[in-house]
Amino acid sequence: RLSTTPQEFMRQNADQLRGYPQIQAALTAATQLHEQAVYSQRPPTRAAFLAAQRAWQEAIRERLKLAQRRVIGVLRRNRD
């Protein structure tokens, strides 16, 4: 849904993100950046942006595992 806020996305996908603490941390950092950019009079700092970017990069293994899990699920559903 296009109107889903980052906070709503996190709540809606909490079950799928269990067991992926690095992804959760990266999404939390990105959500905080978004909220500050949209709702604060002060833009996010470069350091905050770089920290969120680093968190996303550090979550690469978890992101690959999650993607693999989703692909396998789709393939299984299509096979049945």
Side-chain angles (χ1 to χ4, degrees):
R1 189 176 107 195
L2 292 176
S3 63
T4 300
T5 68
Q7 289 287 347
E8 290 171 329
F9 177 85
M10 294 281 287
R11 282 192 300 275
Q12 292 169 358
N13 292 283
D15 288 340
Q16 291 92 337
L17 296 174
R18 281 193 217 301
Y20 298 97
Q22 288 181 316
I23 294 175
Q24 289 176 349
L27 291 173
T28 297
T31 298
Q32 290 170 345
L33 280 178
H34 170 78
E35 289 175 347
Q36 184 172 0
V38 172
Y39 302 112
S40 175
Q41 292 183 4
R42 294 183 322 171
T45 64
R46 179 165 171 72
F49 172 79
L50 292 174
Q53 185 179 42
R54 187 171 46 257
W56 186 247
Q57 291 168 345
E58 290 173 356
I60 184 68
R61 285 191 176 132
E62 288 184 0
R63 291 177 14 230
L64 291 171
K65 284 181 190 177
L66 183 59
Q68 179 184 30
R69 187 176 105 187
R70 294 185 78 159
V71 168
I72 290 171
V74 168
L75 292 173
R76 285 184 179 153
R77 282 191 299 275
N78 289 339
R79 184 181 62 191
D80 295 338

